[in-house]
Amino acid sequence: MPISSRAALLVIDVQNDFIPGGQLPVPEGEQIVPLINRLASQFRQVVIAQDWHPSGHISFASSHLGRQPYDVIELPYGAQTLWPNHCVQASVGAEFHPELDLPHAQLIIRKGCNPDIDSYSAFLEADRSTTTGLTGYLKERSIDTVYMVGLALDFCVMFSALDARAAGFNVCVVLDGCRAIDLDGSLAAAIARMQEAGVSLIQSSDVR
Ligand code: VGL
Ligand code: ZN
């Protein structure tokens, strides 16, 4: 697949806290960094998503008395998995992996900034109505196809992919540029949901 001039690469949450050694490690998360750097050099348009929570964020187990990480609770907008504290604004854990090398990226979109709403997706927060503005940015720049890589495949990448499809973009998730958390079958479920939604699941070798 040659890269269209109307395509953008969205690099999702390649941050220290999602790398082994961080607060919410995604197994093998560090392994995708060289591939992402190589792939990104083929794109003119690169956007980076950054999970960026205030301390005391509603998605942190520590914000809920008696709850443990990976418990699921009901919030006004629906079920919420509780996580270890992670990607706290301006912390080292929230910084990009030190070897991520995307000098030509034009936009960093920060998400999960609202203390009372989580946001896995780089497009729409978990209340499904607060937008990050990313759809408008991409459409104003005439982007019609969004390639995605990053962490975690079964959370932030999947929700970003579904929302991008719903917004009318062609979406290609580059599987070897992603790694998953895989909680209770979440990886298989994510693959099925993306396929159902018409997301193309590809390998980096398909992009030339
Ligand atoms: C993510 C859980 C909590 C992700 C972010 O980037 O997939 N997962 N916050
Ligand atoms: Zn988060």
Side-chain angles (χ1 to χ4, degrees), residues 138-150:
L138 295 172
K139 291 203 166 166
E140 284 199 7
R141 299 182 68 113
S142 302
I143 298 298
D144 62 10
T145 301
V146 185
Y147 290 75
M148 298 187 187
V149 289

Side-chain angles (χ1 to χ4, degrees), residues 67-90:
R67 293 295 181 168
Q68 300 303 316
Y70 310 103
D71 285 354
V72 178
I73 63 166
E74 272 307 312
L75 289 178
Y77 56 75
Q80 171 72 53
T81 301
L82 297 178
W83 304 104
N85 298 357
H86 66 278
C87 298
V88 173
Q89 293 171 0

Side-chain angles (χ1 to χ4, degrees), residues 18 24 51 53 57 59-60 83 86-87 111 118-120 156:
F18 295 123
L24 206 178
D51 211 37
H53 301 306
H57 190 253
S59 75
F60 297 170
W83 304 104
H86 66 278
C87 298
K111 62 187 180 62
D118 203 4
S119 189
Y120 297 140
C156 289

